[in-house]
Amino acid sequence: MIHSLFLINSSGDIFLEKHWKSVVSRSVCDYFFEAQERATEAENVPPVIPTPHHYLLSVYRHKIFFVAVIQTEVPPLFVIEFLHRVVDTFQDYFGVCSEPVIKDNVVVVYEVLEEMLDNGFPLATESNILKELIKPPTILRTVVNTITGSTNVGDQLPTGQLSVVPWRRTGVKYTNNEAYFDVIEEIDAIIDKSGSTITAEIQGVIDACVKLTGMPDLTLSFMNPRLLDDVSFHPCVRFKRWESERILSFIPPDGNFRLLSYHVSAQNLVAIPVYVKHNISFRDSSSLGRFEITVGPKQTMGKTIEGVIVTSQMPKGVLNMSLTPSQGTHTFDPVTKMLSWDVGKINPQKLPSLKGTMSLQAGASKPDENPTINLHFKIQQLAISGVPRSLHSKTF
Amino acid sequence: MTDSKYFTTTKKGEIFELKAELNSDKKEKKKEAVKKVIASMTVGKDVSALFPDVVNCMQTDNLELKKLVYLYLMNYAKSQPDMAIMAVNTFVKDCEDPNPLIRALAVRTMGCIRVDKITEYLCEPLRKCLKDEDPYVRKTAAVCVAKLHDINAQLVEDQGFLDTLKDLISDSNPMVVANAVAALSEIAESHPSSNLLDLNPQSINKLLTALNECTEWGQIFILDCLANYTPKDDREAQSICERVTPRLSHANSAVVLSAVKVLMKFMEMLSKDLDYYGTLLKKLAPPLVTLLSAEPELQYVALRNINLIVQKRPEILKHEMKVFFVKYNDPIYVKLEKLDIMIRLASQANIAQVLAELKEYATEVDVDFVRKAVRAIGRCAIKVEQSAERCVSTLLDLIQTKVNYVVQEAIVVIKDIFRKYPNKYESVIATLCENLDSLDEPEARAAMIWIVGEYAERIDNADELLESFLEGFHDESTQVQLQLLTAIVKLFLKKPTETQELVQQVLSLATQDSDNPDLRDRGYIYWRLLSTDPVAAKEVVLAEKPLISEETDLIEPTLLDELICYIGTLASVYHKPPSAFVEGGRGVVHKSLPPRTASNESTESPETAPAGAPSGEQPDVIPTQGDLLGDLLNLDLGPPVSGPPLATSSVQMGAVDLLGGGLDSLMGDEPEGIGGPNFVAPPAAAVPANLGATMGSGLSDLFDLTSGVGTLSGSYVAPKAVWLPAMKAKGLEISGTFTRQVGSISMDLQLTNKALQVMTDFAIQFNRNSFGLAPAAPLQVHAPLSPNQTVEISLPLNTVGSVMKMEPLNNLQVAVKNNIDVFYFSTLYPLHILFVEDGKMDRQMFLATWKDIPNENEAQFQIRDCPLNAEAGRPGGNKNAGSTGEWAHKALFILFAPR
């Protein structure tokens, strides 16, 4: 089981250690540092590192390495999942998860870690329960605590911990009962130069914020449930009902949580809502090339496309680019050959474009690879897969 | 007002100051002081000097203060065991507290204090807490048993906590069940032999019920535990699978993977015609795909496991090729894994897509990744024959890029393609030759030289090319030198007239100027071959090479099956069985997939069916080359042949010859005096039994037994038993038995190749044994044994080998060699195979012989409860029984010999 946890910042200092069994010397992290040195970037540090007596499993989030030390055969996914849960909990408690914040709240961090794991076995990882055991620090509470002498530590056994619905505490009361659901969908698509889609997949999540009194039992049905062939649910969802009726029925946790995440593969895909027109040409003899791209909307059902950012890795032969955008700002880094253009919103009446010339290395032959163009964009209130919920009823 | 203020005071009198604050009357001040102490502790400062003062703060109603003190205690109790005793009273008192939270906290903390004196006091409160009315306390106590076991295993057993823990598996609260399972699994890990988790259909049912209700972490423990269970038939397997499948939709990827493990394992038992089998296959794909959209670290572990799953059951993910396409922002470790899986999934249907993708990767920035991508193209060509042409043209395109490492990598893989499809793509040689100068890596140079040598007759200036390499012969790496030597010899054999000088030069370089024995030996072999018999040289050097196949990089099926049982564990990440890397070689239980069992069969043999391997019949494999075996192997059995392709043929031939000669000589050289033949008594005159009818009637019975039995047919033959399981012999499984047919003994062997590669060059040898058993002829396996093929061989034996008393007497140690390795096993042979058929003597002679045996050798005992089976009890069942006297002689000798 999980033996110890080390928190290491990007400059390689161990700034927090916690042991759940006997103390493991921090020199075990030297193996980690070795691996870190070998990897060119922080992201490339391998997640599982064997050492003579231990195994180090790490995740890298918020520029902090969370390194767990294990000694026996433990499912690595279990450890990695747990580490991610630790990060999520910190974020939940302190708003951000960063080295200064963790140092500022070191006692709470320590108490929380102690609650989360006992002898390496997860004890309480639901934020609802943790918050009942150890209340998150707020300015108001700090003030109250100093005056009254009360503490951040709850002295009652969390009510939800042992019930059939461990994610929800009892006795929740709200004056305004409300529930919000956010459907967030990301498309990953690769489109070839003629505009046809090579691959596309949709990764979607439904995040909920439920503030309801008592023990509400909710049902949620979908317009097009057969699209959701590949889903993973929050433990509160009754799986049987979903299997038989394709209806989500659940007692929600209190507050924010991720209700489900789903995956829609390419076969079911509707059109990509954006297109890019490009005209990039290099000539063999000349040291100049032409560059022109235009971005435009396609089937957005009247919604605006925002936050458009175009990035492109130019071939090595390109020395510099002189471009004029019709809107937004652009930069070209001559070292990494990365062109980036922050477009902003797309106005369908006046399509944004970026035009100009590229100067190429003199004498070099024309680059044979075509630059790839990466396009990031956001559309509010449009679910591309067409799965959003249609009906939402409550029963108490 | 943040905790960072606790870090700030680093003045000299800090400890002193803290001490004063800890002893302050004000609660608030005390708490602040303890917080400061904890803060110093977390960054590794030593604050153990404050121990008594901190422990004094323990008696408090303030829960936060109590928790902080407990945190401190866990860290420092070990360094101050005497003072830690001071805390015991408070712990014991807290264990009686009305608040379950405090009870649980006390028992939990006490378990974390690794001090012997304290653990003694822990037993009573722990026993109470294990039976506490509050499930929260019970579940904490369950974990505490595991903690205690880690500190003092004997104590836990003596106090009977293990039984209490087992009872908790039937607890009403799912959380308690999950924790009990987790604790038991951890304890069981250090005690592999003890049958702690005694799984039976009832307890499985309880676990499955708890599975639905406990937390995600508990689900992982329960699923891992379920995976160790072997259902008794396919119906039970199916019903467990049905109840586990909902877990595939869990948000926690560890739960998903553990569920996949259970399903993969139990699927083995389901019949493929079952509808449910197909449904299950379909259900497995989406969750695996979903794992790939998680964080990169999770993806990595998932991919390593998918790699195994794809090898075991490629049908699950065969339509999901696209999800394994590399994303530009994947970390390198994810990219490399995806590449590997892409090749495994490549088939004729999707090869165009894959190749386009791979070609794209080959133009990436990361050198390692590019190399692997180029190599992947080569592997595709070898795997999917129809795509070979396209792969070659893709590789040629890549060579045109002139990027140095791409070109080198491409040449290495093209060499493999030539091996797989000889005489098909020679047209590309010209292009390859253009890049000769840019090659600087040994592997690429060696590959290029091989190509030039192999196709020397089609390259006009082959001699010039090879000559250019020869100039810097001494600076090349061994790999290139060996390859160059062979290539030039090939060239000479193909164009003898023009290249005589060149071959002289290389042979003298290799034999006279080189320090490398491999190179020298090869040089001499060629030299001698060329000088004595050029025709033979041609046959050897230009021999047809065995084709390479796409399966070379697959995991051995036996290992794969074992790894499937370890999905989701570290073993699956490293693709090694846990025994290969688990610390300290703690007894590791080998897991194996359950055999397919239909429900109707199981009713007949419920006990034997579920057991993965028949443990009783398994012969003991001699683990290492012990002293006993020293003389068995005093001849060179030939190393596993893995030299460069050209040399293989000659080396293999050599090995066979060596071995044959060695075997003969070993059999011929029998020590004088105790050689076998001396003791095979000269055939006694076969006197008809009725001649001696006047003798005692008791004896006649004995003789009558044999009288009706002809000596023409063979004797009783035991069924074949597995002597050498495939797992212990790199895929070679040997089963066999001993028979005696008309005066000759033979060993009937059944060799099964369960590995992926072809096995050749079989040979067998016995160690010296009690009766001088030795093979009478070499082991004849005529054709190479291809994967999954089985051959039956009857090996004649004689008893002329050298004699050494074995324990037990009929123990026989055997070495079997093939082109992969040498394997050792031992087996017991039935004594009756040694009895000669003509050992019949007349009564007088028998009695005389009997009397000759000195009295001190007689022992009398009664045989009780000796169940005779039908076979042995039937008269004549054992047809060689006539020669008891003969055998007695031999036994006598054996017993006397050591004195």
Side-chain angles (χ1 to χ4, degrees):
Chain A
M1 294 294 116
I2 301 172
H3 225 280
S4 306
L5 173 71
F6 293 97
L7 265 55
I8 300 174
N9 63 17
S10 38
S11 55
D13 299 324
I14 303 170
F15 65 92
L16 190 103
E17 56 181 293
K18 170 89 184 98
H19 307 278
W20 284 277
K21 292 187 169 184
S22 52
V23 176
V24 178
S25 156
R26 54 166 72 190
S27 62
V28 76
C29 291
D30 292 349
Y31 295 98
F32 178 81
F33 296 136
E34 257 172 51
Q36 195 183 4
E37 240 164 69
R38 267 198 301 274
T40 41
E41 280 166 62
E43 286 82 6
N44 287 343
V45 179
V48 186
I49 302 169
T51 78
H53 301 287
H54 301 90
Y55 291 90
L56 306 178
L57 289 107
S58 60
V59 302
Y60 180 70
R61 280 181 68 181
H62 306 288
K63 300 208 161 65
I64 301 173
F65 286 103
F66 293 77
V67 184
V69 182
I70 59 172
Q71 214 164 11
T72 50
E73 172 72 90
V74 181
L77 271 189
F78 163 94
V79 181
I80 294 172
E81 272 280 352
F82 178 81
L83 291 176
H84 282 297
R85 203 62 60 86
V86 169
V87 183
D88 293 342
T89 311
F90 287 170
Q91 212 164 1
D92 197 28
Y93 261 75
F94 313 121
V96 281
C97 176
S98 67
E99 188 187 346
V101 169
I102 291 175
K103 276 189 168 168
D104 280 352
N105 298 290
V106 69
V107 176
V108 178
V109 166
Y110 227 68
E111 286 170 345
V112 169
L113 286 176
E114 184 61 34
E115 281 311 325
M116 288 181 84
L117 218 54
D118 176 21
N119 196 38
F121 299 107
L123 201 57
T125 50
E126 286 288 335
S127 98
N128 269 299
I129 294 170
L130 280 173
K131 281 184 176 168
E132 257 184 273
L133 282 167
I134 294 150
K135 300 193 176 75
T138 58
I139 294 170
L140 180 68
R141 191 165 295 131
T142 322
V143 175
V144 172
N145 285 353
T146 4
I147 297 166
T148 60
S150 65
T151 67
N152 276 349
V153 176
D155 54 4
Q156 282 308 309
L157 193 61
T159 44
Q161 181 140 22
L162 292 159
S163 68
V164 221
V165 277
W167 51 87
R168 188 171 180 92
R169 61 197 168 99
T170 47
V172 188
K173 277 213 177 78
Y174 288 102
T175 39
N176 286 333
N177 283 315
E178 47 194 7
Y180 300 97
F181 293 88
D182 288 335
V183 181
I184 301 163
E185 290 193 340
E186 286 174 24
I187 332 176
D188 281 328
I190 303 174
I191 294 169
D192 68 7
K193 65 181 167 192
S194 60
S196 52
T197 309
I198 296 174
T199 65
E201 53 171 9
I202 295 175
Q203 205 60 53
V205 295
I206 297 184
D207 282 345
C209 174
V210 178
K211 293 183 170 173
L212 298 170
T213 310
M215 273 284 172
D217 198 327
L218 308 186
T219 51
L220 190 63
S221 59
F222 293 96
M223 216 136 66
N224 206 350
R226 90 203 132 68
L227 284 178
L228 301 171
D229 51 346
D230 182 9
V231 279
S232 53
F233 297 114
H234 189 273
C236 68
V237 177
R238 294 186 186 99
F239 190 74
K240 285 254 159 62
R241 184 114 189 251
W242 167 259
E243 285 271 271
S244 53
E245 300 168 55
R246 296 273 139 176
I247 284 173
L248 286 187
S249 146
F250 56 98
I251 299 172
D254 188 41
N256 296 315
F257 65 100
R258 174 157 297 175
L259 181 63
L260 83 160
S261 54
Y262 57 92
H263 177 96
V264 182
S265 53
Q267 295 95 313
N268 300 322
L269 197 73
V270 289
I272 309 289
V274 177
Y275 69 87
V276 176
K277 254 200 278 182
H278 56 92
N279 182 8
I280 302 168
S281 58
F282 306 102
R283 254 159 297 160
D284 251 334
S285 49
S286 140
S287 63
L288 280 182
R290 275 198 306 145
F291 184 93
E292 180 178 352
I293 49 175
T294 311
V295 186
K298 194 164 83 177
Q299 296 168 359
T300 61
M301 305 188 219
K303 304 286 195 301
T304 30
I305 301 173
E306 312 167 23
V308 183
I309 298 171
V310 180
T311 51
S312 176
Q313 174 78 51
M314 302 309 288
K316 290 190 190 78
V318 176
L319 287 182
N320 210 343
M321 306 181 79
S322 77
L323 304 168
T324 23
S326 67
Q327 72 177 75
T329 53
H330 81 283
T331 51
F332 176 72
D333 184 344
V335 182
T336 58
K337 314 286 179 204
M338 185 63 87
L339 168 74
S340 118
W341 174 31
D342 188 344
V343 185
K345 265 186 206 168
I346 294 181
N347 178 1
Q349 270 76 49
K350 188 174 165 294
L351 295 178
S353 66
L354 184 66
K355 271 186 226 172
T357 55
M358 300 176 276
S359 50
L360 304 172
Q361 210 153 16
S365 61
K366 130 185 165 173
D368 44 26
E369 77 252 57
N370 287 316
T372 46
I373 299 170
N374 296 316
L375 189 70
H376 295 258
F377 60 92
K378 262 190 258 177
I379 306 173
Q380 300 280 3
Q381 299 177 359
L382 173 81
I384 204 83
S385 65
V387 289
R389 69 199 189 281
S390 65
L391 184 127
H392 171 202
S393 76
K394 289 183 252 177
T395 50
F396 286 90
Chain B
M1 281 292 278
T2 62
D3 294 350
S4 54
K5 66 173 185 271
Y6 302 130
F7 292 113
T8 50
T9 49
T10 45
K11 279 168 275 160
K12 211 179 163 193
E14 181 195 357
I15 297 279
F16 182 73
E17 235 171 71
L18 281 173
K19 207 178 179 91
E21 281 177 41
L22 284 170
N23 291 322
S24 142
D25 293 336
K26 281 189 201 146
K27 264 191 188 167
E28 212 33 48
K29 213 162 191 182
K30 258 190 189 172
K31 201 164 82 186
E32 287 298 294
V34 176
K35 281 191 177 176
K36 274 185 204 167
V37 173
I38 300 283
S40 319
M41 192 176 85
T42 57
V43 289
K45 248 186 246 169
D46 185 21
V47 283
S48 57
L50 295 166
F51 198 87
D53 309 283
V54 177
V55 172
N56 274 339
C57 304
M58 201 171 158
Q59 287 280 14
T60 172
D61 301 334
N62 186 314
L63 192 61
E64 185 177 20
L65 186 54
K66 198 179 260 296
K67 277 192 175 178
L68 292 172
V69 175
Y70 281 178
L71 279 178
Y72 179 89
L73 266 177
M74 284 184 224
N75 239 20
Y76 286 116
K78 198 153 194 191
S79 57
Q80 313 254 339
D82 294 330
M83 288 208 255
I85 290 290
M86 289 161 52
V88 166
N89 260 339
T90 324
F91 280 129
V92 174
K93 214 176 91 197
D94 280 356
C95 287
E96 310 270 327
D97 199 278
N99 185 343
L101 191 62
I102 292 181
R103 288 204 297 276
L105 188 64
V107 79
R108 194 171 122 199
T109 316
M110 247 174 126
C112 292
I113 296 177
R114 310 174 68 89
V115 177
D116 285 340
K117 282 182 196 155
I118 292 206
T119 39
E120 283 166 28
Y121 290 97
L122 175 61
C123 294
E124 270 325 298
L126 180 58
R127 199 187 313 281
K128 251 183 238 161
C129 288
L130 279 168
K131 304 227 158 89
D132 201 284
E133 81 241 10
D134 194 297
Y136 180 75
V137 182
R138 286 205 300 276
K139 91 175 196 179
T140 317
V143 176
C144 192
V145 175
K147 291 181 196 169
L148 192 59
H149 187 270
D150 192 30
I151 303 169
N152 190 343
Q154 196 54 46
L155 186 71
V156 171
E157 274 165 46
D158 294 347
Q159 297 278 337
F161 284 135
L162 291 181
D163 294 324
T164 327
L165 206 52
K166 279 186 212 164
D167 294 344
L168 285 185
I169 291 191
S170 328
D171 200 277
S172 56
N173 188 296
M175 304 290 302
V176 180
V177 178
N179 272 15
V181 169
L184 279 174
S185 314
E186 196 182 67
I187 295 172
E189 213 171 295
S190 52
H191 275 90
S193 52
S194 65
N195 197 10
L196 276 178
L197 278 163
D198 182 24
L199 297 174
N200 51 47
Q202 287 79 37
S203 59
I204 288 292
N205 205 17
K206 269 175 207 148
L207 289 181
L208 285 168
T209 317
L211 182 63
N212 291 327
E213 291 168 6
C214 68
T215 65
E216 46 199 311
W217 312 109
Q219 293 181 10
I220 299 171
F221 295 132
I222 293 181
L223 285 169
D224 284 347
C225 179
L226 278 179
N228 290 331
Y229 174 68
T230 315
K232 65 177 191 296
D233 55 42
D234 57 346
R235 253 173 300 174
E236 191 183 6
Q238 180 174 348
S239 83
I240 295 177
C241 287
E242 274 162 9
R243 294 177 70 175
V244 167
T245 25
R247 296 302 122 211
L248 292 175
S249 302
H250 203 283
N252 187 322
S253 57
V255 176
V256 175
L257 205 57
S258 288
V260 169
K261 163 162 65 180
V262 175
L263 295 176
M264 282 296 287
K265 198 174 165 191
F266 289 3
M267 240 166 125
E268 197 68 12
M269 296 187 68
L270 300 177
S271 149
K272 283 197 174 162
D273 326 319
L274 227 58
D275 285 347
Y276 183 69
Y277 181 85
T279 332
L280 204 55
L281 277 185
K282 262 187 226 129
K283 278 192 176 163
L284 275 171
L288 290 175
V289 171
T290 310
L291 287 179
L292 295 183
S293 53
E295 285 84 356
E297 297 92 359
L298 297 173
Q299 277 186 48
Y300 170 74
V301 178
L303 283 166
R304 290 296 284 176
N305 282 292
I306 289 173
N307 200 329
L308 291 177
I309 295 169
V310 162
Q311 288 184 53
K312 181 77 188 159
R313 298 194 187 279
E315 61 269 33
I316 294 179
L317 285 166
K318 65 180 176 210
H319 300 301
E320 304 289 347
M321 176 56 103
K322 277 185 178 177
V323 297
F324 296 105
F325 285 175
V326 169
K327 290 185 184 144
Y328 74 100
N329 55 355
D330 279 336
I332 181 76
Y333 53 83
V334 170
K335 283 185 181 170
L336 295 177
E337 282 311 313
K338 282 189 174 172
L339 209 53
D340 221 31
I341 296 173
M342 277 171 70
I343 303 163
R344 297 213 192 287
L345 287 175
S347 65
Q348 204 185 340
N350 55 24
I351 193 74
Q353 255 185 341
V354 174
L355 272 184
E357 238 353 76
L358 289 176
K359 193 177 173 189
E360 214 40 55
Y361 301 160
T363 58
E364 283 257 347
V365 205
D366 191 293
V367 179
D368 280 344
F369 181 58
V370 172
R371 281 172 182 277
K372 195 142 186 203
V374 176
R375 220 156 253 228
I377 298 177
R379 276 165 71 186
C380 283
I382 291 169
K383 186 167 181 207
V384 187
E385 190 164 353
Q386 294 81 355
S387 74
E389 188 146 4
R390 218 176 311 172
C391 293
V392 171
S393 74
T394 311
L395 286 169
L396 282 183
D397 286 351
L398 289 171
I399 289 177
Q400 300 300 353
T401 60
K402 306 274 177 201
V403 179
N404 188 290
Y405 51 85
V406 175
V407 175
Q408 308 213 27
E409 209 62 42
I411 286 180
V412 174
V413 299
I414 286 183
K415 181 200 80 180
D416 288 343
I417 296 178
F418 281 168
R419 282 286 308 279
K420 170 83 179 174
Y421 310 107
N423 305 321
K424 223 170 155 188
Y425 300 106
E426 282 70 39
S427 49
V428 307
I429 293 176
T431 325
L432 302 184
C433 289
E434 286 165 21
N435 294 288
L436 216 56
D437 302 331
S438 63
L439 307 177
D440 51 13
E441 289 163 28
E443 206 184 345
R445 285 173 82 90
M448 191 63 221
I449 293 172
W450 182 86
I451 294 172
V452 174
E454 188 65 20
Y455 297 98
E457 69 272 28
R458 310 184 195 204
I459 306 172
D460 297 334
N461 59 345
D463 47 344
E464 284 168 37
L465 293 175
L466 292 175
E467 203 170 355
S468 67
F469 281 108
L470 204 57
E471 280 159 21
F473 190 74
H474 287 297
D475 303 330
E476 301 282 6
S477 73
T478 319
Q479 192 185 9
V480 182
Q481 289 177 335
L482 284 169
Q483 208 53 263
L484 194 53
L485 171 63
T486 307
I488 291 180
V489 172
K490 277 188 202 165
L491 175 68
F492 171 72
L493 289 168
K494 287 175 179 170
K495 303 179 180 172
T497 45
E498 310 128 57
T499 55
Q500 201 145 16
E501 204 177 308
L502 194 62
V503 83
Q504 290 285 351
Q505 200 184 344
V506 75
L507 286 174
S508 78
L509 276 172
T511 53
Q512 284 155 28
D513 300 343
S514 166
D515 294 334
N516 186 317
D518 283 350
L519 185 62
R520 229 167 29 212
D521 287 356
R522 199 189 280 190
Y524 278 127
I525 290 173
Y526 285 150
W527 203 328
R528 206 156 294 169
L529 266 175
L530 292 174
S531 58
T532 52
D533 189 354
V535 182
K538 209 161 191 168
E539 266 170 35
V540 171
V541 180
L542 301 179
E544 211 157 286
K545 285 161 284 294
L547 289 184
I548 52 174
S549 71
E550 77 274 15
E551 277 140 357
T552 42
D553 54 355
L554 289 180
I555 298 177
E556 295 272 341
T558 39
L559 178 61
L560 181 62
D561 281 356
E562 191 181 349
L563 286 177
I564 288 289
C565 302
Y566 287 107
I567 284 179
T569 66
L570 282 171
S572 68
V573 175
Y574 289 109
H575 289 187
K576 283 180 196 161
S579 49
F581 64 88
V582 160
E583 168 91 342
R586 247 201 259 183
V588 178
V589 193
H590 278 278
K591 296 186 189 174
S592 55
L593 288 176
R596 184 155 312 190
T597 324
S599 41
N600 50 357
E601 284 171 38
S602 69
T603 50
E604 291 161 24
S605 55
E607 282 92 17
T608 52
S615 51
E617 296 154 53
Q618 218 164 7
D620 40 339
V621 169
I622 303 165
T624 49
Q625 222 166 316
D627 291 344
L628 270 178
L629 286 165
D631 56 338
L632 185 60
L633 275 182
N634 49 8
L635 66 153
D636 187 9
L637 277 174
V641 183
S642 62
L646 185 92
T648 45
S649 51
S650 61
V651 174
Q652 275 169 1
M653 282 163 69
V656 170
D657 283 344
L658 267 176
L659 187 70
L663 279 170
D664 289 342
S665 67
L666 190 82
M667 279 185 281
D669 104 342
E670 45 187 47
E672 284 172 16
I674 32 171
N678 303 347
F679 296 91
V680 177
V687 183
N690 51 8
L691 259 184
T694 46
M695 298 299 290
S697 58
L699 268 174
S700 73
D701 286 359
L702 185 67
F703 279 78
D704 281 343
L705 260 182
T706 54
S707 63
V709 179
T711 47
L712 292 169
S713 56
S715 62
Y716 166 70
V717 178
K720 282 198 174 88
V722 178
W723 286 341
L724 184 72
M727 215 146 78
K728 295 191 174 161
K730 303 190 180 163
L732 174 68
E733 187 175 279
I734 302 180
S735 54
T737 183
F738 293 91
T739 58
R740 183 174 183 102
Q741 302 265 357
V742 207
S744 63
I745 310 168
S746 58
M747 182 155 109
D748 290 348
L749 290 169
Q750 180 173 327
L751 307 178
T752 309
N753 181 358
K754 294 199 170 172
L756 289 167
Q757 63 192 110
V758 176
M759 293 181 178
T760 53
D761 307 335
F762 286 95
I764 194 163
Q765 240 179 38
F766 294 174
N767 194 9
R768 287 195 289 170
N769 53 69
S770 316
F771 297 101
L773 270 185
L779 187 61
Q780 296 283 345
V781 182
H782 293 291
L785 194 57
S786 46
N788 283 325
Q789 197 193 342
T790 300
V791 287
E792 306 241 359
I793 304 151
S794 182
L795 179 73
L797 305 181
N798 55 21
T799 49
V800 299
S802 42
V803 173
M804 184 175 73
K805 195 192 167 207
M806 298 298 293
E807 193 56 49
L809 204 61
N810 57 341
N811 191 13
L812 179 67
Q813 295 179 332
V814 183
V816 171
K817 176 219 155 237
N818 62 10
N819 58 329
I820 301 168
D821 207 345
V822 183
F823 311 107
Y824 306 96
F825 63 89
S826 70
T827 175
L828 300 177
Y829 48 86
L831 279 174
H832 76 258
I833 61 160
L834 299 165
F835 301 161
V836 293
E837 289 87 346
D838 45 10
K840 194 171 280 187
M841 20 174 125
D842 68 50
R843 289 176 195 214
Q844 281 87 354
M845 219 174 132
F846 178 82
L847 287 173
T849 321
W850 187 262
K851 280 181 188 145
D852 281 349
I853 302 172
N855 277 340
E856 62 264 31
N857 283 350
E858 279 190 35
Q860 287 191 350
F861 56 91
Q862 264 188 310
I863 301 170
R864 287 170 199 281
D865 300 332
C866 179
L868 290 171
N869 61 29
E871 187 71 28
R874 201 172 60 225
N878 203 339
K879 290 170 184 168
N880 305 344
S883 57
T884 27
E886 170 65 34
W887 176 71
H889 249 114
K890 209 154 197 181
L892 276 176
F893 167 73
I894 295 296
L895 292 172
F896 287 155
R899 296 196 186 152

